[in-house]
Amino acid sequence: MRVINFSAGPSTLPLEVLKEAQDELLSYKGKGFSIMEISHRTKLFEEVHFEAMQNVKSLYKLSDDYEVLFLQGGASLQFAMVPMNLSLNGVCEYVNTGVWTKKAIKEAKILNVNLNVVASSEEDNFSHIPDVKFSDNADYAYICSNNTIYGTQYQSYPDTKAPLVVDASSDFFSKEVDFKNIALFYGGTQKNAGISGLACVIIRKDMLERSASKNLPSMLKYSIHNENKSLFNTPNTFAIYIFALEMRWLLKQGGLAKIDENNKAKANLLYECIDSSEGFYTGFARKEDRSLMNVSFKSKNAELDALFVKEAEANSMLGLKGHRLLGGLRASIYNAITLEQVKELCAFMNEFKKKYA
Ligand SMILES: *Cc1c(COP(=O)(O)O)cnc(C)c1O
């Protein structure tokens, strides 16, 4: 029996993806070995690898100006690789919207790049997305599109002449994206597109040229990975395989516009449940900045929150405890969570409210 898993990450995978991986686990395409047990240089693996890359391009409708990379080190290594590869002699500008941007800022500072935090919502505990105006001539402009812990999300990206860099780890492949200003778009795949350890990086070709001009260790250099089509060394083949299954699944759902429609329906239902609770539940994020992926909220007090988590678990609903920094409750309703599952959560929330209001 599978539970309904609202974990923030790693998080639930589509059942179809898990079943397909299960079917193929002992014998991939009838070969008598699993995809994990063969060389990354074989045609069999390369087919999976390049299909996944191509499907990323199709899903986001990317022009030939962009390349797709599969890298290791999760999203967190990108906190360092971005400044290493993209900083020039100007200023790197960051918006601070929570823990994940703070970590990115910290790594860039370790590397001694010239850095400015040009907007922040720290003063109100990151409950909103601040307005920002980046300098036209910044080396790059850095944002995190969805703040996993606080449940805030950019509804549209800031307009900028500087190359925009986006950490999209927790809203990856959840909606269509206009790449107009985007120079680099990345995420760990364990929230919305697969399992942990793999980062997918979408990079514009002028940024690859910047990278090529840098004196960096090979493994930390975008241009080297691109020249080697993300097969410079042994990649995380199993994570790429699961990611490939996910990309196929997303296409089968009808692509990102369709996925977005479904994500909106799910989030609307859950926020409606919170907003119509007459103050029993309160949402954390400012309404206009609410995330469609991570719904952070709380009930009337900490004791009730703890009881909520406990009773939810007894009802086969997991992962609803808020992040330790914020407390309260959080439901992560990524792509693989169905509308039906959100309906079940809302029904549970209404029952819980009736019992304890
Ligand atoms: C989870 C997360 C990360 C960190 O991902 P790792 O793969 O653990 O390095 C970075 N950014 C955001 C927005 C995240 O949600």
Side-chain angles (χ1 to χ4, degrees):
M1 230 286 271
R2 300 256 308 156
V3 299
I4 307 181
N5 178 2
F6 295 102
S7 295
S11 38
T12 199
L13 293 165
L15 192 58
E16 294 96 314
V17 166
L18 286 173
K19 282 194 167 150
E20 206 170 338
Q22 182 181 41
D23 284 347
E24 294 180 332
L25 191 65
L26 297 186
S27 181
Y28 181 74
K29 294 199 163 164
K31 299 286 183 193
F33 50 73
S34 75
I35 195 79
M36 287 178 282
E37 299 169 294
I38 46 155
S39 166
H40 56 298
R41 309 278 175 209
T42 56
K43 190 158 173 284
L44 211 58
F45 179 75
E46 280 190 353
E47 274 172 11
V48 172
H49 186 83
F50 293 124
E51 183 206 304
M53 269 182 192
Q54 189 50 52
N55 283 345
V56 172
K57 291 183 182 170
S58 314
L59 282 162
Y60 276 126
K61 303 188 170 84
L62 297 174
S63 75
D64 288 341
D65 288 342
Y66 293 88
E67 297 285 358
V68 175
L69 307 176
F70 298 146
L71 305 179
Q72 296 181 61
S76 295
L77 188 57
Q78 296 311 306
F79 300 162
M81 281 181 76
V82 165
M84 276 180 183
N85 285 271
L86 304 191
S87 68
L88 298 168
N89 297 314
V91 181
C92 307
E93 297 190 336
Y94 282 71
V95 179
N96 183 18
T97 49
V99 164
W100 296 115
T101 53
K102 274 180 139 175
K103 290 190 181 191
I105 290 163
K106 183 175 171 206
E107 297 302 297
K109 281 189 173 160
I110 290 170
L111 292 161
N112 264 327
V113 303
N114 196 354
L115 181 149
N116 263 347
V117 177
V118 289
S120 169
S121 51
E122 188 158 24
E123 75 288 348
D124 79 347
N125 200 19
F126 301 118
S127 62
H128 77 281
I129 299 287
D131 291 332
V132 64
K133 175 86 187 75
F134 292 109
S135 314
D136 289 350
N137 61 353
D139 288 355
Y140 61 83
Y142 185 103
I143 63 167
C144 176
S145 56
N146 182 77
N147 297 281
T148 325
I149 294 171
Y150 314 89
T152 61
Q153 185 177 26
Y154 283 86
Q155 309 304 309
S156 63
Y157 298 153
D159 206 23
T160 164
K161 290 205 168 63
L164 188 65
V165 174
V166 183
D167 173 0
S169 293
S170 53
D171 62 359
F172 224 9
F173 300 98
S174 69
K175 60 178 177 184
E176 292 192 302
V177 169
D178 178 2
F179 273 75
K180 187 176 56 141
N181 299 318
I182 294 177
L184 192 145
F185 191 83
Y186 77 89
T189 61
Q190 72 271 30
K191 276 139 195 167
N192 235 344
I195 60 174
S196 63
L198 174 67
C200 174
V201 176
I202 300 169
I203 184 167
R204 210 169 60 197
K205 283 177 178 159
D206 56 330
M207 297 296 118
L208 286 168
E209 281 160 28
R210 264 196 213 186
S211 167
S213 71
K214 293 266 189 156
N215 183 28
L216 289 170
S218 309
M219 280 295 284
L220 298 173
K221 199 161 156 142
Y222 292 129
S223 59
I224 297 264
H225 287 291
N226 183 55
E227 282 156 23
N228 291 278
K229 300 185 161 64
S230 297
L231 292 164
F232 173 70
N233 73 323
T234 318
N236 184 342
T237 55
F238 191 67
I240 290 170
Y241 163 73
I242 296 289
F243 180 79
L245 296 183
E246 280 260 353
M247 295 301 104
R248 262 185 234 162
W249 179 81
L250 288 169
L251 284 167
K252 226 166 66 190
Q253 306 307 300
L256 299 183
K258 203 79 194 160
I259 287 284
D260 185 28
E261 230 174 78
N262 197 40
N263 284 332
K264 279 185 179 135
K266 283 150 49 186
N268 285 343
L269 206 64
L270 190 45
Y271 284 120
E272 178 56 28
C273 175
I274 291 168
D275 293 340
S276 65
S277 71
E278 288 152 347
F280 186 80
Y281 300 110
T282 40
F284 176 75
R286 190 163 81 180
K287 276 192 185 169
E288 54 270 40
D289 298 328
R290 280 173 161 177
S291 167
L292 300 185
M293 299 286 105
N294 309 96
V295 177
S296 288
F297 64 107
K298 59 184 182 182
S299 68
K300 283 181 124 169
N301 56 54
E303 291 73 54
L304 270 185
D305 287 342
L307 193 63
F308 182 99
V309 171
K310 204 171 141 206
E311 292 199 6
E313 278 179 14
N315 283 277
S316 296
M317 287 180 234
L318 259 62
L320 289 162
K321 193 168 185 285
H323 190 276
R324 67 194 143 74
L325 284 175
L326 207 59
L329 303 162
R330 172 176 55 175
S332 296
I333 48 173
Y334 299 125
N335 292 339
I337 290 281
T338 65
L339 186 63
E340 277 314 306
Q341 291 175 324
V342 174
K343 282 183 185 162
E344 284 195 45
L345 174 61
C346 291
F348 168 78
M349 286 171 67
N350 289 332
E351 276 307 304
F352 187 83
K353 182 195 142 194
K354 252 192 232 156
K355 235 157 96 186
Y356 299 105

